[in-house]
Amino acid sequence: MFLKCFYFISIDNYITETIIWNIVFGLSVFILILIVFLIILRNKIRIDARKYAIYEKKTEQVLIEYLYAVNEGLELKDDKKRNKLKSDLLNRRKRKIITSIFLKLRQEVSGGLIINMGDLYEKLGLHKYDRIKLNSKKWNSIALGLRDLRLFRVKGIQNSVSKFINHPREEVRREAHLYFIGVLGFKGLKFLDNLTRPLSEWDQIQLLGQLKKFDDQEMPDISNWLKSNNDYVILFSLNIVSLFNRIETKDELLLLLNHENEIIRIKAIELLSKFEFIEAKSILIKNYENLTKKEKIVFWNFLKEIATKEDSTFILKHINEESFEVKVIALEILVSINKKEYKLLEENSNDASLNKIIHFLNRNYGY
């Protein structure tokens, strides 16, 4: 019985050992095949990298020669090179290379060469691939498509771009807004008519930077945007008014003094001060008690530029404001428009903080 059990155990051990060795052998073969495959793949990647690096260098040279030839007014009757590039676009890898070369050169050229690049971009049909990106479900693809269409100033696609003005992603909205300004100039500001989303301060800086490249004689009437329901549109419009000195917007600026948004009211006061529209003074004095602390400081700075002797009564009435900054400005205005009242105040004031300011002004400015 014992011998019989030992026999069966020996057979089981033999079978198990055989199976294990077969597995080891199979894994070894698999690993060997995998190593060979990886070596081949790595070599192929290296070969492809060298091949595409050579292709990129040659293609860049072709594009540069083409652009300069067109810029010098040379007729290119034999367009074999351009047709070759056109056919290369069917290859996704080559298309990426050509696009990257265009983007690289776009940063390096200027003047007429930029226009030539835009023309060649469309002649090759690269803009069609960017328009396809606008139908993508990926927001980053849409943003890249909009960026390239803007950089190469592709026109006639405003309707396609307009649907991204209020896109949920800020990056897509930004590129859509920049497209309208970068390609259409001041005419592109019409996108503000339909803007319902926020317009960040950084976006406004970029858009204003684009606008500065164009002739402001082409600027449309912006008064309607100063009445927009979107506070961000109003703030951006106020920045345009400031940058391009649009003094014809006086009536709209005066109306904004009653806007519910404090930031807009402050910006309006600053612009009215910049343009020295004295009509704002009576409005602000009348509504002074309702102004916020920040508005009051901006108003006093405004008053400092346009105050007359007739304002002495108002100044003396509010000379004891809690704000230290307001007290300093009020005293500076008073001494400049009515030294007699200033001296009387100096002699009769029992306010310690006010007396310190008077002493400071007298010592430092010789009042």
Side-chain angles (χ1 to χ4, degrees):
M1 185 69 178
F2 173 78
L3 291 173
K4 189 175 182 181
C5 289
F6 179 78
Y7 174 75
F8 281 114
I9 290 171
S10 299
I11 292 175
D12 287 344
N13 287 339
Y14 174 77
I15 293 171
T16 302
E17 188 177 343
T18 302
I19 292 171
I20 291 172
W21 277 111
N22 285 333
I23 292 172
V24 170
F25 177 76
L27 288 173
S28 300
V29 172
F30 175 76
I31 291 171
L32 183 62
I33 293 171
L34 188 61
I35 291 171
V36 172
F37 174 76
L38 288 174
I39 291 172
I40 294 171
L41 181 62
R42 190 174 179 182
N43 287 334
K44 186 179 184 305
I45 291 172
R46 285 178 177 175
I47 292 169
D48 286 347
R50 284 196 295 268
K51 181 177 72 175
Y52 284 116
I54 294 170
Y55 174 80
E56 181 176 359
K57 190 174 181 180
K58 287 183 178 179
T59 303
E60 183 175 348
Q61 188 62 37
V62 168
L63 288 175
I64 291 172
E65 289 175 359
Y66 184 93
L67 291 171
Y68 277 100
V70 173
N71 195 56
E72 292 172 8
L74 300 177
E75 286 192 22
L76 300 176
K77 295 179 180 179
D78 185 6
D79 246 353
K80 289 182 180 179
K81 290 182 178 179
R82 195 179 72 186
N83 292 332
K84 172 67 168 56
L85 288 173
K86 228 174 183 180
S87 63
D88 286 348
L89 292 178
L90 299 174
N91 182 302
R92 188 177 179 182
R93 178 75 178 272
K94 289 182 177 180
R95 185 166 69 247
K96 282 186 176 181
I97 291 173
I98 295 172
T99 302
S100 68
I101 293 171
F102 263 91
L103 292 171
K104 176 186 174 183
L105 293 178
R106 176 63 179 77
Q107 303 300 319
E108 297 174 354
V109 302
S110 59
L113 287 176
I114 292 179
I115 298 173
N116 294 340
M117 283 195 73
D119 292 340
L120 180 58
Y121 193 81
E122 291 194 56
K123 285 177 181 178
L124 290 177
L126 274 168
H127 66 295
K128 295 178 182 177
Y129 294 98
D130 287 323
R131 293 191 66 174
I132 291 172
K133 290 178 184 176
L134 301 188
N135 298 319
S136 174
K137 293 181 179 179
K138 298 178 180 179
W139 67 265
N140 55 327
S141 292
I142 297 172
L144 288 173
L146 289 169
R147 181 202 64 183
D148 293 350
L149 291 167
R150 168 176 60 87
L151 287 175
F152 298 105
R153 300 180 181 180
V154 179
K155 297 181 179 180
I157 57 169
Q158 291 90 313
N159 290 336
S160 298
V161 178
S162 61
K163 63 184 180 182
F164 301 111
I165 288 173
N166 294 302
H167 194 275
R169 294 289 306 205
E170 183 181 2
E171 296 87 347
V172 175
R173 293 200 305 273
R174 180 181 298 126
E175 289 299 338
H177 302 161
L178 285 170
Y179 170 84
F180 278 104
I181 303 300
V183 176
L184 303 177
F186 286 103
K187 293 179 181 178
L189 285 170
K190 285 191 173 293
F191 84 85
L192 295 173
D193 291 338
N194 303 310
L195 184 65
T196 58
R197 293 274 187 167
L199 196 60
S200 72
E201 190 172 340
W202 172 240
D203 289 341
Q204 293 187 42
I205 290 171
Q206 286 188 297
L207 292 173
L208 291 170
Q210 291 289 323
L211 285 174
K212 284 194 289 187
K213 299 176 182 178
F214 299 94
D215 183 2
D216 62 352
Q217 297 298 321
E218 299 176 0
M219 184 185 294
D221 179 14
I222 65 171
S223 57
N224 284 334
W225 295 319
L226 289 169
K227 303 172 186 175
S228 173
N229 293 322
N230 186 338
D231 288 1
Y232 294 96
V233 171
I234 296 176
L235 287 168
F236 179 54
S237 301
L238 288 171
N239 284 328
I240 293 175
V241 170
S242 177
L243 182 63
F244 296 100
N245 297 315
R246 310 308 294 188
I247 59 175
E248 71 274 12
T249 59
K250 179 178 72 174
D251 292 339
E252 286 72 30
L253 294 176
L254 291 171
L255 288 173
L256 289 175
L257 292 177
N258 297 312
H259 198 277
E260 59 183 16
N261 188 319
E262 181 192 22
I263 299 174
I264 290 175
R265 295 197 303 271
I266 289 173
K267 188 70 177 176
I269 297 171
E270 289 174 344
L271 286 173
L272 288 164
S273 173
K274 176 181 179 180
F275 301 139
E276 296 187 357
F277 290 141
I278 58 175
E279 296 91 334
K281 182 173 72 171
S282 59
I283 296 173
L284 291 166
I285 287 176
K286 185 178 180 180
N287 192 44
Y288 184 79
E289 299 303 329
N290 297 319
L291 299 181
T292 64
K293 189 178 291 186
K294 290 180 180 179
E295 286 178 276
K296 286 179 179 179
I297 292 172
V298 177
F299 164 67
W300 281 100
N301 280 305
F302 176 25
L303 192 60
K304 189 176 180 180
E305 301 298 325
I306 61 168
T308 62
K309 195 170 185 177
E310 286 71 29
D311 296 314
S312 300
T313 303
F314 172 79
I315 294 169
L316 287 168
K317 181 181 177 182
H318 298 280
I319 203 77
N320 291 311
E321 287 274 341
E322 290 183 8
S323 171
F324 176 82
E325 189 173 352
V326 167
K327 285 183 179 181
V328 173
I329 299 171
L331 285 167
E332 287 179 336
I333 297 172
L334 185 63
V335 73
S336 67
I337 64 172
N338 196 331
K339 288 185 179 180
K340 182 180 178 181
E341 289 291 345
Y342 177 82
K343 288 298 181 183
L344 285 172
L345 182 66
E346 181 184 0
E347 293 169 3
N348 301 314
S349 174
N350 295 317
D351 186 327
S353 64
L354 199 66
N355 290 336
K356 285 182 180 178
I357 298 172
I358 291 173
H359 177 69
F360 171 80
L361 293 175
N362 290 341
R363 187 180 63 184
N364 287 275
Y365 299 99
Y367 294 153

